[in-house]
Amino acid sequence: MNYETAHARTNSIRKFYKSLFIFALFAVLIIPDDIFGEKMISFHWFDRYTILGIWAFIILVKAAKLFLFDSEWERDMIEKELKKEKKRIDY
């Protein structure tokens, strides 16, 4: 891994943790509002849990992309595809 790739990955991880923190902050503000029955925070288009669910799904996709399908995985897949191509040409 070269410096530019490591720098880009570090920035991506930092942005991911930042968005995770913001999500947790909003969840902490929204969920107790329903528990105590105050209903101070109100959305007219969607239910609060729908918004949190969609947001959590987006964060889950980002986490999978960042931690499961990283540059190492991509490099391995490219090498596998190149090996397949070489085997086809060597008839």
Side-chain angles (χ1 to χ4, degrees):
M1 182 182 296
N2 60 8
Y3 175 78
E4 292 152 2
T5 306
H7 182 68
R9 180 159 168 78
T10 304
N11 281 338
S12 297
I13 291 172
R14 183 176 49 89
K15 287 178 185 178
F16 171 74
Y17 284 130
K18 186 177 177 182
S19 64
L20 189 64
F21 175 75
I22 292 171
F23 171 77
L25 185 67
F26 273 94
V28 165
L29 291 175
I30 289 175
I31 291 174
D33 188 47
D34 191 37
I35 292 172
F36 297 120
E38 300 269 328
K39 302 282 184 184
M40 292 171 38
I41 300 172
S42 163
F43 298 111
H44 299 287
W45 295 320
F46 295 109
D47 183 27
R48 293 172 293 206
Y49 296 114
T50 305
I51 293 171
L52 285 178
I54 293 169
W55 197 353
F57 179 74
I58 291 170
I59 288 177
L60 185 65
V61 169
K62 285 182 181 181
K65 181 182 173 188
L66 187 60
F67 296 112
L68 296 178
F69 304 116
D70 58 350
S71 61
E72 226 175 277
W73 176 84
E74 185 178 358
R75 190 173 339 118
D76 290 341
M77 292 304 292
I78 290 171
E79 286 177 10
K80 283 181 184 178
E81 290 299 319
L82 288 174
K83 285 179 183 177
K84 285 180 185 178
E85 288 293 321
K86 286 181 183 178
K87 288 181 183 177
R88 290 183 190 163
I89 294 173
D90 289 339
Y91 286 118

